Amino acid sequence: MGATLPDTTSTTSTTSVPSAVTAVPALPALSTQAERLIELGVHEIAGLPAAELRAFADAAGDPAGDEDGGVLLAVHPDRAPASALAPLLRRDGKPGFVVTDMPDVDEFAPLESVAVPDSPLHVLTGVDRGDRMANWSPDEALPALTAEARTPLLLTEGIHWVLQQPAALERNRCFMTIGSRLRKPDGTLDSRTPALWISNGTGRDGRERRNAPKVGWCWAGNRHTWLGFASATGRRPGTF
């Protein structure tokens, strides 16, 4: 899927992004997103009444003036972990999955620099796949996003995005969610960074999973031509 990676010892990516960037269709209205989550049973995973999800979406509304792409409704990762959300993804009729060598997927938590509302539900504005950063490493992308006043998506937020807009995940245009990282017992960050892409059905994925949505990981210092860096302009608890 990817090309030969450039030298990762430099701190600035100079390799151009291959092929034309494909615009991701806008998200549906928040009320429609709420119904989608209810249809999938996400409210039950999160322990929330369907009425509460609908009321939140109605109260949050769709504020005018936000960036193209719409507003994304998300459940806090403590309520709906990645391991429970990934199987709800669908592509070509095949369910999503988490790679076998990521049994600790739910232990990936928000970075200290990523402010997530302390509430069961929140919304994200200005969601972007970060295609322009394809062939950057996570170590390069994070400070660049911070300098632009953008916040990297959490893994669960990335899954929510694809649940609501499957076209956000396309072959050779997939994305990382570097807002979620795992801390080791000594307090340092694990070198793995989570991502969403499409399985080729090779190796331990199994041929039956070819073209299925996949939650996996890449090293923080590596670059991949087919992975952008999903981010947003901000998160809000729903009161505008």
Side-chain angles (χ1 to χ4, degrees), residues 109-135:
L111 287 168
E112 286 82 354
S113 59
V114 175
V116 180
D118 186 19
S119 57
L121 301 164
H122 63 272
V123 294
L124 297 100
T125 54
V127 179
D128 178 72
R129 193 167 58 187
D131 291 354
R132 63 186 178 80
M133 287 184 171
N135 216 35

Side-chain angles (χ1 to χ4, degrees), residues 14-145:
T14 58
T15 304
S16 60
V17 177
S19 72
V21 172
T22 303
V24 178
L27 283 157
L30 288 177
S31 58
T32 302
Q33 292 184 45
E35 293 304 322
R36 171 67 172 158
L37 295 182
I38 293 167
E39 173 191 353
L40 293 170
V42 174
H43 66 300
E44 295 176 341
I45 294 171
L48 296 171
E52 183 175 340
L53 194 56
R54 292 187 176 108
F56 178 90
D58 289 342
D62 288 302
D66 275 305
E67 295 86 347
D68 291 342
V71 181
L72 175 65
L73 173 61
V75 180
H76 196 286
D78 288 348
R79 292 291 195 111
S83 64
L85 294 177
L88 302 178
L89 295 166
R90 289 292 185 278
R91 188 175 189 276
D92 290 349
K94 297 179 180 180
F97 67 99
V98 179
V99 293
T100 58
D101 56 352
M102 205 176 181
D104 50 1
V105 64
D106 293 337
E107 296 176 29
F108 283 70
L111 287 168
E112 286 82 354
S113 59
V114 175
V116 180
D118 186 19
S119 57
L121 301 164
H122 63 272
V123 294
L124 297 100
T125 54
V127 179
D128 178 72
R129 193 167 58 187
D131 291 354
R132 63 186 178 80
M133 287 184 171
N135 216 35
W136 291 41
S137 73
D139 286 342
E140 294 166 341
L142 183 58
L145 291 172

